[in-house]
CSV table of all heavy atoms in Angstrom, one decimal:
chain,number,residue,atom,x,y,z
A,9,GLU,N,23.0,-47.8,-66.2
A,9,GLU,CA,22.0,-48.2,-67.2
A,9,GLU,C,20.6,-48.1,-66.7
A,9,GLU,O,19.7,-47.8,-67.5
A,9,GLU,CB,22.3,-49.6,-67.8
A,9,GLU,CG,22.3,-50.7,-66.8
A,9,GLU,CD,23.6,-51.0,-66.1
A,9,GLU,OE1,24.6,-50.2,-66.2
A,9,GLU,OE2,23.7,-52.0,-65.3
A,10,VAL,N,20.4,-48.3,-65.4
A,10,VAL,CA,19.0,-48.1,-64.8
A,10,VAL,C,18.8,-46.6,-64.7
A,10,VAL,O,17.7,-46.2,-65.1
A,10,VAL,CB,18.9,-48.9,-63.5
A,10,VAL,CG1,17.6,-48.5,-62.8
A,10,VAL,CG2,19.1,-50.4,-63.7
A,11,LEU,N,19.7,-45.9,-64.2
A,11,LEU,CA,19.5,-44.5,-64.0
A,11,LEU,C,19.2,-43.8,-65.3
A,11,LEU,O,18.4,-42.8,-65.4
A,11,LEU,CB,20.8,-43.8,-63.4
A,11,LEU,CG,20.7,-42.4,-62.9
A,11,LEU,CD1,19.6,-42.2,-61.9
A,11,LEU,CD2,22.0,-42.0,-62.3
A,12,ALA,N,19.8,-44.2,-66.4
A,12,ALA,CA,19.5,-43.6,-67.7
A,12,ALA,C,18.1,-43.8,-68.2
A,12,ALA,O,17.6,-43.0,-69.0
A,12,ALA,CB,20.5,-44.2,-68.8
A,13,LEU,N,17.4,-44.7,-67.6
A,13,LEU,CA,16.0,-45.0,-68.0
A,13,LEU,C,15.0,-44.2,-67.1
A,13,LEU,O,13.8,-44.0,-67.5
A,13,LEU,CB,15.7,-46.5,-67.8
A,13,LEU,CG,16.5,-47.4,-68.7
A,13,LEU,CD1,16.2,-48.9,-68.3
A,13,LEU,CD2,16.2,-47.2,-70.2
A,14,LEU,N,15.4,-43.7,-65.9
A,14,LEU,CA,14.5,-43.1,-65.0
A,14,LEU,C,14.2,-41.6,-65.4
A,14,LEU,O,15.1,-40.9,-65.9
A,14,LEU,CB,15.1,-43.1,-63.6
A,14,LEU,CG,15.4,-44.5,-63.0
A,14,LEU,CD1,16.0,-44.4,-61.6
A,14,LEU,CD2,14.1,-45.3,-63.0
A,15,ARG,N,13.0,-41.2,-65.2
A,15,ARG,CA,12.5,-39.9,-65.5
A,15,ARG,C,11.7,-39.3,-64.3
A,15,ARG,O,11.1,-40.1,-63.6
A,15,ARG,CB,11.6,-39.8,-66.7
A,15,ARG,CG,12.3,-40.3,-68.0
A,15,ARG,CD,13.3,-39.2,-68.4
A,15,ARG,NE,14.0,-39.5,-69.6
A,15,ARG,CZ,15.2,-40.1,-69.7
A,15,ARG,NH1,15.8,-40.5,-68.6
A,15,ARG,NH2,15.8,-40.3,-70.9
A,16,CYS,N,11.8,-38.0,-64.1
A,16,CYS,CA,11.1,-37.4,-63.1
A,16,CYS,C,9.6,-37.4,-63.4
A,16,CYS,O,9.1,-37.0,-64.5
A,16,CYS,CB,11.5,-35.9,-63.0
A,16,CYS,SG,10.5,-34.9,-61.9
A,17,PRO,N,8.7,-37.9,-62.4
A,17,PRO,CA,7.3,-37.9,-62.7
A,17,PRO,C,6.7,-36.5,-62.8
A,17,PRO,O,5.6,-36.4,-63.4
A,17,PRO,CB,6.7,-38.6,-61.4
A,17,PRO,CG,7.9,-39.4,-60.8
A,17,PRO,CD,9.1,-38.6,-61.2
A,18,HIS,N,7.3,-35.5,-62.3
A,18,HIS,CA,6.8,-34.1,-62.4
A,18,HIS,C,7.2,-33.4,-63.7
A,18,HIS,O,6.4,-32.8,-64.4
A,18,HIS,CB,7.2,-33.3,-61.2
A,18,HIS,CG,6.6,-33.6,-59.9
A,18,HIS,ND1,5.4,-33.3,-59.6
A,18,HIS,CD2,7.1,-34.3,-58.9
A,18,HIS,CE1,5.1,-33.8,-58.4
A,18,HIS,NE2,6.2,-34.4,-58.0
A,19,THR,N,8.4,-33.6,-64.1
A,19,THR,CA,9.0,-32.8,-65.2
A,19,THR,C,9.3,-33.6,-66.5
A,19,THR,O,9.5,-33.1,-67.5
A,19,THR,CB,10.3,-32.1,-64.8
A,19,THR,OG1,11.3,-33.1,-64.6
A,19,THR,CG2,10.1,-31.2,-63.6
A,20,SER,N,9.3,-35.0,-66.3
A,20,SER,CA,9.7,-35.9,-67.4
A,20,SER,C,11.2,-35.8,-67.8
A,20,SER,O,11.6,-36.4,-68.8
A,20,SER,CB,8.8,-35.8,-68.6
A,20,SER,OG,7.5,-36.1,-68.3
A,21,LEU,N,11.9,-35.0,-67.0
A,21,LEU,CA,13.4,-34.9,-67.3
A,21,LEU,C,14.1,-36.1,-66.7
A,21,LEU,O,13.7,-36.7,-65.8
A,21,LEU,CB,13.9,-33.6,-66.6
A,21,LEU,CG,13.4,-32.3,-67.2
A,21,LEU,CD1,13.9,-31.1,-66.3
A,21,LEU,CD2,13.9,-32.1,-68.6
A,22,PRO,N,15.3,-36.3,-67.3
A,22,PRO,CA,16.2,-37.4,-66.7
A,22,PRO,C,16.5,-37.1,-65.3
A,22,PRO,O,16.5,-35.9,-64.9
A,22,PRO,CB,17.4,-37.4,-67.6
A,22,PRO,CG,17.0,-36.6,-68.8
A,22,PRO,CD,15.9,-35.7,-68.4
A,23,LEU,N,16.8,-38.1,-64.5
A,23,LEU,CA,17.3,-38.0,-63.2
A,23,LEU,C,18.7,-38.3,-63.0
A,23,LEU,O,19.3,-39.0,-63.8
A,23,LEU,CB,16.5,-39.0,-62.3
A,23,LEU,CG,15.0,-38.7,-62.2
A,23,LEU,CD1,14.3,-39.9,-61.5
A,23,LEU,CD2,14.7,-37.4,-61.4
A,24,ARG,N,19.4,-37.7,-62.0
A,24,ARG,CA,20.8,-37.9,-61.7
A,24,ARG,C,20.9,-38.1,-60.2
A,24,ARG,O,20.0,-37.6,-59.5
A,24,ARG,CB,21.6,-36.8,-62.2
A,24,ARG,CG,21.3,-35.4,-61.7
A,24,ARG,CD,22.2,-34.3,-62.2
A,24,ARG,NE,21.7,-33.0,-61.9
A,24,ARG,CZ,21.7,-32.5,-60.7
A,24,ARG,NH1,22.3,-33.1,-59.6
A,24,ARG,NH2,21.2,-31.2,-60.5
A,25,GLU,N,22.0,-38.7,-59.8
A,25,GLU,CA,22.2,-38.9,-58.4
A,25,GLU,C,22.6,-37.6,-57.8
A,25,GLU,O,23.4,-36.8,-58.4
A,25,GLU,CB,23.3,-39.9,-58.1
A,25,GLU,CG,22.7,-41.3,-58.5
A,25,GLU,CD,23.7,-42.4,-58.0
A,25,GLU,OE1,24.5,-42.2,-57.1
A,25,GLU,OE2,23.6,-43.5,-58.6
A,26,ALA,N,22.1,-37.3,-56.6
A,26,ALA,CA,22.5,-36.0,-55.9
A,26,ALA,C,23.9,-36.2,-55.3
A,26,ALA,O,24.2,-37.2,-54.7
A,26,ALA,CB,21.5,-35.8,-54.7
A,27,GLY,N,24.7,-35.1,-55.5
A,27,GLY,CA,26.1,-35.1,-55.0
A,27,GLY,C,26.0,-34.8,-53.5
A,27,GLY,O,25.0,-34.5,-52.9
A,28,THR,N,27.2,-34.9,-52.8
A,28,THR,CA,27.2,-34.7,-51.4
A,28,THR,C,26.7,-33.3,-50.9
A,28,THR,O,25.9,-33.2,-50.1
A,28,THR,CB,28.7,-34.9,-50.9
A,28,THR,OG1,29.1,-36.2,-51.3
A,28,THR,CG2,28.8,-34.8,-49.4
A,29,ASP,N,27.2,-32.3,-51.6
A,29,ASP,CA,26.8,-30.9,-51.2
A,29,ASP,C,25.3,-30.7,-51.5
A,29,ASP,O,24.6,-30.1,-50.8
A,29,ASP,CB,27.6,-29.9,-51.9
A,29,ASP,CG,29.0,-29.8,-51.4
A,29,ASP,OD1,29.3,-30.3,-50.3
A,29,ASP,OD2,29.9,-29.3,-52.1
A,30,GLU,N,24.9,-31.2,-52.7
A,30,GLU,CA,23.5,-31.1,-53.1
A,30,GLU,C,22.6,-31.8,-52.2
A,30,GLU,O,21.5,-31.4,-51.8
A,30,GLU,CB,23.3,-31.6,-54.5
A,30,GLU,CG,22.0,-31.3,-55.2
A,30,GLU,CD,22.0,-31.6,-56.6
A,30,GLU,OE1,22.6,-32.6,-57.0
A,30,GLU,OE2,21.4,-30.9,-57.4
A,31,LEU,N,23.0,-33.0,-51.7
A,31,LEU,CA,22.2,-33.8,-50.8
A,31,LEU,C,22.1,-33.1,-49.5
A,31,LEU,O,21.0,-33.0,-48.9
A,31,LEU,CB,22.8,-35.2,-50.6
A,31,LEU,CG,22.1,-36.2,-49.8
A,31,LEU,CD1,20.7,-36.5,-50.4
A,31,LEU,CD2,22.9,-37.5,-49.6
A,32,ALA,N,23.1,-32.5,-49.0
A,32,ALA,CA,23.1,-31.7,-47.8
A,32,ALA,C,22.1,-30.5,-47.9
A,32,ALA,O,21.3,-30.2,-47.0
A,32,ALA,CB,24.5,-31.2,-47.4
A,33,HIS,N,22.1,-29.9,-49.1
A,33,HIS,CA,21.2,-28.8,-49.3
A,33,HIS,C,19.8,-29.2,-49.2
A,33,HIS,O,18.9,-28.6,-48.6
A,33,HIS,CB,21.5,-28.1,-50.7
A,33,HIS,CG,20.5,-27.1,-51.1
A,33,HIS,ND1,20.5,-25.9,-50.6
A,33,HIS,CD2,19.5,-27.2,-52.0
A,33,HIS,CE1,19.4,-25.2,-51.2
A,33,HIS,NE2,18.9,-26.0,-52.1
A,34,TRP,N,19.4,-30.3,-49.9
A,34,TRP,CA,18.1,-30.8,-49.9
A,34,TRP,C,17.7,-31.3,-48.5
A,34,TRP,O,16.5,-31.1,-48.1
A,34,TRP,CB,17.9,-31.9,-51.0
A,34,TRP,CG,17.7,-31.4,-52.3
A,34,TRP,CD1,18.7,-31.3,-53.3
A,34,TRP,CD2,16.5,-30.8,-52.9
A,34,TRP,NE1,18.1,-30.7,-54.4
A,34,TRP,CE2,16.8,-30.4,-54.2
A,34,TRP,CE3,15.3,-30.6,-52.4
A,34,TRP,CZ2,15.9,-29.8,-55.0
A,34,TRP,CZ3,14.3,-30.0,-53.2
A,34,TRP,CH2,14.6,-29.6,-54.5
A,35,ASN,N,18.6,-31.9,-47.8
A,35,ASN,CA,18.2,-32.3,-46.4
A,35,ASN,C,17.9,-31.1,-45.6
A,35,ASN,O,17.0,-31.2,-44.8
A,35,ASN,CB,19.4,-33.1,-45.8
A,35,ASN,CG,19.3,-34.6,-46.2
A,35,ASN,OD1,18.2,-35.2,-46.1
A,35,ASN,ND2,20.4,-35.2,-46.5
């Protein structure tokens, strides 16, 4: 319910949690 309220400050798009593979990619 908190995640549903959050928006990206750059794009104003909704945010989602990074998955394991995606987190490894960003790291």
Side-chain angles (χ1 to χ4, degrees):
E9 59 273 10
V10 173
L11 188 58
L13 299 173
L14 299 178
R15 296 291 180 265
C16 172
H18 290 282
T19 66
S20 298
L21 293 171
L23 294 168
R24 58 180 169 74
E25 291 189 24
T28 305
D29 291 341
E30 191 171 36
L31 186 60
H33 171 76
W34 280 101
N35 272 318

